[in-house]
Amino acid sequence: MTDLSQTPLAASDARGRVAELHAIREQVRRGPSERATEAQHAKGKLTARERIELLLDEGSFQEVEPLRRHRATGFGLEDRKPYTDGVVTGWGTVHGRTVFVYAHDFRIFGGALGEAHAQKIHKIMDLAVAAGAPLVSLNDGAGARIQEGVVALAGYGGIFRRNTGASGVIPQISVMLGPCAGGAAYSPALTDFVFMVRDTSQMFITGPDVVQAVTGAQVSQNGLGGADVHASTSGVAHFAYDDETACLEEVRYLLSLLPSNNRENPPRTECADPADRRGEVLYDLVPADGNRPYDMRAVIEEIVDEGEMLEVHERWATNIICALARMDGQVVGIVANQPQQLAGVLDIHASEKAARFVQMCDAFNIPILTLLDVPGFLPGVDQEHGGIIRHGAKLLYAYCNATVPRVSVVLRKAYGGAYIVMDSQSIGADLTYAWPTNEIAVMGAEGAAGVIFRRQIAASDDPEATRAELVKEYRSELMHPYYAAERGLVDDVIDPAETRSVLIGALAMLRTKHADLPARKHGNPPQ
């Protein structure tokens, strides 16, 4: 292929110049060579432009700076000045709404970031904030371009600063489609959502070779920082998929649930699922016995539109569920304990997961629905030494700081500090409902009776019979389903079958909610 980037312009008239322009654009579109494209495909990976075509609506992509080339010299760079400099940037639409995108082109310098490469990304990030539209990064790069030295590192600094400035202003989504090592891993970590593809994408600060040299441990790239590791162990990745096509389709779905920026509400859709649909199946889904597990996902699917939801961090901290769904066509963020895992207790990871999700919902005007069935915080030396106090406080802080509509429903257990933290009325929930199976208390009846009546039980001729009687008395006095409602801590006790219609009505009323936080530079949340 003729390299037009190294050929001086020869045409003297307008038509000739236009012909040269089209030839150059065609070269830009095709990339460095067919061989490089074949090598990319051989790895099971698409090219940057193929990925953009899957992400955006057909024919909507408008490229920015396709003719940009680096100006570095030394180490042979002066002889290699391809157009785009290894990153494709621009904007288009997803479901008809504007979205900005940049995609590393691994075929050019391995997608490594140099000065010109970084400046293109900076520009598209600035445009996204100025236009008030989401930013999606398609990451497939080898980190900083070593031949350009410190200017490449400064380029990353500019990206990190812009990620931080855009946080809570526009949705930022990182899609990992190749290796991402060193400082480059921090940009995705600063964004709202991280998608990964199994086998082809990895994220780590130090690679397997460095890990082995320093610690002696042998580990593969996927074992160290693959999609499954980050989706289930580290919590770095929110979503993991088997192939790029499925991954990018889910990115499009996520974008359909998010507003373009923090000044807008999420897009509403027409809903064929009746708002007053009864959910009598809920009677059987949730056992009245608080010690019996069940799948909270089935409850969520029953009350949301068409049973559809997008679960965030599905495989990490599985004792709590965070999901986006619609109710009567309106987007809602759902936080729910999962009794099927660890009885639905709150622990370090569950607190972190839910806190970040609550903050995201609040930043982008998404009402929060909280479903409670929580026996408390997970006890244990590891949890205490790991800082469950400060991590649990993150969730408490996130809820207390949230100004979007907040509605909670107590299905069964809601004990102790975990009850307070899970958006109780005392920390600002706008409306709190409970099912007739609810038990809201400092602790379970058995534990409470053992503390309050310890001496009485010990002095009894039949301690077990006395304990059973006192447990029954405590439960009837302080844990009956209407105790909290009688004291105004629950707004109403509702028929489980009417949960969907009650919540839709509450959220409709709260749609115009307005709340102001005290004037301050920013808070100082627990870390």
Side-chain angles (χ1 to χ4, degrees):
M1 181 193 310
T2 302
D3 186 0
L4 296 177
S5 67
Q6 309 299 329
T7 303
L9 294 175
S12 58
D13 62 355
R15 287 183 175 82
R17 292 294 176 89
V18 169
E20 287 175 337
L21 171 63
H22 287 309
I24 291 173
R25 288 190 177 279
E26 177 60 19
Q27 179 182 316
V28 170
R29 188 192 64 79
R30 287 183 302 189
S33 68
E34 290 299 325
R35 183 178 177 181
T37 300
E38 290 170 2
Q40 181 81 346
H41 288 164
K43 298 173 186 175
K45 296 159 61 175
L46 300 175
T47 65
R49 295 179 187 279
E50 289 170 340
R51 290 163 174 166
I52 290 173
E53 287 175 2
L54 285 175
L55 173 68
L56 301 178
D57 297 337
E58 185 176 357
S60 68
F61 182 54
Q62 300 291 315
E63 191 168 353
V64 174
E65 295 192 352
L67 306 183
R68 187 70 179 265
R69 291 153 57 179
H70 73 76
R71 57 185 179 182
T73 58
F75 307 102
L77 286 179
E78 62 273 14
D79 298 323
R80 298 178 61 201
K81 294 189 175 184
Y83 290 120
T84 75
D85 199 46
V87 63
V88 181
T89 60
W91 76 89
T93 60
V94 174
H95 302 300
R97 295 192 301 151
T98 299
V99 171
F100 287 80
V101 60
Y102 68 85
H104 298 129
D105 191 340
F106 194 82
R107 300 172 301 170
I108 298 175
F109 299 125
L113 181 138
E115 181 186 34
H117 183 120
Q119 289 174 349
K120 288 182 64 175
I121 295 175
H122 296 168
K123 179 166 186 173
I124 215 66
M125 295 179 80
D126 291 341
L127 283 172
V129 172
L135 174 70
V136 179
S137 63
L138 305 179
N139 298 274
D140 186 8
R145 194 174 299 169
I146 299 172
Q147 300 95 320
E148 294 196 33
V150 71
V151 294
L153 298 180
Y156 273 125
I159 294 173
F160 303 157
R161 178 167 58 86
R162 286 168 172 83
N163 283 139
T164 304
S167 180
V169 179
I170 57 170
Q172 298 180 84
I173 299 173
S174 297
V175 188
M176 314 311 296
L177 301 166
C180 186
Y186 283 117
S187 176
L190 290 169
T191 61
D192 300 301
F193 299 97
V194 176
F195 288 72
M196 294 189 74
V197 175
R198 293 184 179 90
D199 297 327
T200 58
S201 65
Q202 301 88 28
M203 296 174 66
F204 35 71
I205 299 302
T206 54
D209 293 342
V210 177
V211 169
Q212 183 176 358
V214 174
T215 69
Q218 290 187 333
V219 62
S220 66
Q221 286 196 347
N222 282 322
L224 181 63
D228 289 321
V229 167
H230 286 313
S232 61
T233 303
S234 72
V236 170
H238 299 79
F239 306 96
Y241 298 94
D242 290 330
D243 59 78
E244 295 188 13
T245 301
C247 179
L248 293 170
E249 184 60 36
E250 285 298 282
V251 174
R252 286 175 59 86
Y253 180 46
L254 173 60
L255 286 166
S256 75
L257 296 168
L258 299 175
S260 292
N261 56 65
N262 64 340
R263 301 183 301 277
E264 298 181 5
N265 291 323
R268 188 186 188 283
T269 61
E270 292 301 317
C271 176
D273 195 347
D276 60 354
R277 170 174 56 79
R278 287 179 61 82
E280 296 189 9
V281 68
L282 294 171
Y283 297 146
D284 301 316
L285 279 178
V286 181
D289 181 357
N291 293 319
R292 290 179 58 193
Y294 62 93
D295 188 355
M296 183 65 84
R297 286 190 188 88
V299 175
I300 297 171
E301 290 170 355
E302 178 61 27
I303 65 176
V304 302
D305 294 352
E306 311 292 349
E308 292 185 1
M309 66 173 180
L310 178 63
E311 188 170 349
V312 179
H313 270 143
E314 180 179 358
R315 297 171 56 204
W316 182 62
T318 53
N319 42 320
I320 200 161
I321 295 171
C322 297
L324 293 169
R326 283 191 171 93
M327 300 190 73
D328 196 30
Q330 298 283 359
V331 178
V332 61
I334 299 172
V335 179
N337 306 110
Q338 173 56 295
Q340 207 171 51
Q341 299 290 331
L342 295 176
V345 298
L346 288 178
D347 61 4
I348 289 173
H349 288 163
S351 299
E352 290 183 321
K353 170 180 170 178
R356 185 97 194 287
F357 183 76
V358 168
Q359 288 174 171
M360 185 279 299
C361 289
D362 187 51
F364 294 116
N365 308 312
I366 300 173
I368 301 168
L369 167 62
T370 306
L371 303 178
L372 287 85
D373 192 344
V374 58
F377 282 93
L378 180 65
V381 174
D382 290 344
Q383 288 289 307
E384 296 295 345
H385 288 185
I388 185 62
I389 295 172
R390 60 186 174 86
H391 290 290
K394 293 177 182 178
L395 180 54
L396 181 61
Y397 189 99
Y399 269 124
C400 290
N401 205 45
T403 60
V404 293
R406 292 156 50 189
V407 181
S408 61
V409 182
V410 181
L411 279 61
R412 295 194 311 186
K413 303 180 299 297
Y415 294 162
Y419 152 67
I420 301 173
V421 168
M422 289 289 292
D423 207 18
S424 63
Q425 191 175 101
S426 61
I427 67 168
D430 297 296
L431 289 167
T432 304
Y433 298 102
W435 286 4
T437 47
N438 82 82
E439 290 185 355
I440 304 174
V442 175
M443 62 176 67
E446 290 78 7
V451 173
I452 298 172
F453 306 113
R454 181 176 65 254
R455 293 181 180 177
Q456 189 174 339
I457 292 170
S460 172
D461 294 334
D462 188 348
E464 288 306 313
T466 301
R467 174 188 291 274
E469 182 64 28
L470 292 172
V471 166
K472 182 178 179 181
E473 178 184 341
Y474 181 86
R475 181 174 280 117
S476 65
E477 289 291 325
L478 295 177
M479 295 180 63
H480 63 78
Y482 309 102
Y483 185 85
E486 290 170 358
R487 285 151 183 81
L489 297 174
V490 165
D491 292 294
D492 198 6
V493 178
I494 62 174
D495 179 348
E498 297 176 355
T499 302
R500 173 175 166 83
S501 61
V502 169
L503 291 176
I504 287 174
L507 291 169
M509 179 276 293
L510 290 167
R511 198 163 296 145
T512 55
K513 174 185 174 181
H514 177 76
D516 290 320
L517 292 173
R520 58 182 173 181
K521 185 176 182 180
H522 56 73
N524 187 22
Q527 297 297 319

